[in-house]
Amino acid sequence: DLHRLAAAGFDLIVNPCSVCYCADVQSVWQECYRVLKTGGALLSGLMNPVHYLFDAQRSAAGELIVRHKIPYSDLQLSEEERQVLLGDCRPVEFGHSLTDLIAGQLAAGFQLTGFYEDRWGGDDRLSEFLDVFIATRAIKR
């Protein structure tokens, strides 16, 4: 929620993989565009939507079992399953489509000038097969 920030007041926004906690990612891109100065940059970390296809508990055990559709939301889970997955500390996550994540920045008016992918590493089973993180650099024209 950036509505309290003045328009065209920032040269740079760093968004470190946080839109997965927002139900409506398009409003995030629109607000980022509004508060950036012309020529300002938005650096965004994103979760690859493929991450959300798999059953989280089974993935933690090393099994990749396709269970969900994209777009995804933890709110689609039963209350009991959500409590097991999130406990009392983890926030609800939303797995957005690539259209919402990438084309959404373009629709907000940004020009994409950089794209990078990376893996989680460690014991993350999915990272053995593909990059689970995406980073973009977008400029306000």
Side-chain angles (χ1 to χ4, degrees):
D1 182 2
L2 304 178
H3 80 275
R4 293 186 176 147
L5 301 175
F10 292 86
D11 294 309
L12 174 67
I13 296 174
V14 177
N15 173 25
C17 208
S18 64
V19 296
C20 60
Y21 304 112
C22 302
D24 178 15
V25 70
Q26 190 59 44
S27 65
V28 173
W29 303 143
Q30 290 168 348
E31 281 296 287
C32 287
Y33 191 85
R34 184 185 68 78
V35 302
L36 274 175
K37 296 176 183 177
T38 300
L42 167 64
L43 306 177
S44 291
L46 310 167
M47 286 296 296
N48 187 324
V50 172
H51 169 79
Y52 294 100
L53 288 175
F54 302 96
D55 182 282
Q57 289 181 302
R58 304 279 295 271
S59 293
E63 296 179 82
L64 296 176
I65 307 296
V66 173
R67 178 173 172 208
H68 305 289
K69 294 181 180 181
I70 304 301
Y72 166 83
S73 169
D74 285 338
L75 298 175
Q76 297 168 346
L77 303 174
S78 70
E79 181 64 36
E80 179 182 323
E81 190 173 13
R82 202 167 42 249
Q83 181 61 36
V84 169
L85 178 65
L86 304 178
D88 294 327
C89 298
R90 285 188 51 200
V92 170
E93 289 190 38
F94 301 89
H96 302 288
S97 68
L98 285 175
T99 298
D100 288 341
L101 295 172
I102 307 298
Q105 292 181 45
L106 299 172
F110 285 105
Q111 176 183 5
L112 287 179
T113 59
F115 189 91
Y116 175 76
E117 293 178 289
D118 200 4
R119 294 174 188 231
W120 200 299
D123 294 333
D124 182 62
R125 181 85 169 116
L126 188 55
S127 288
E128 293 177 27
F129 302 100
L130 63 91
D131 294 322
V132 294
F133 292 107
I134 297 168
T136 59
R137 181 177 187 268
I139 302 295
K140 180 175 180 176
R141 302 183 270 182

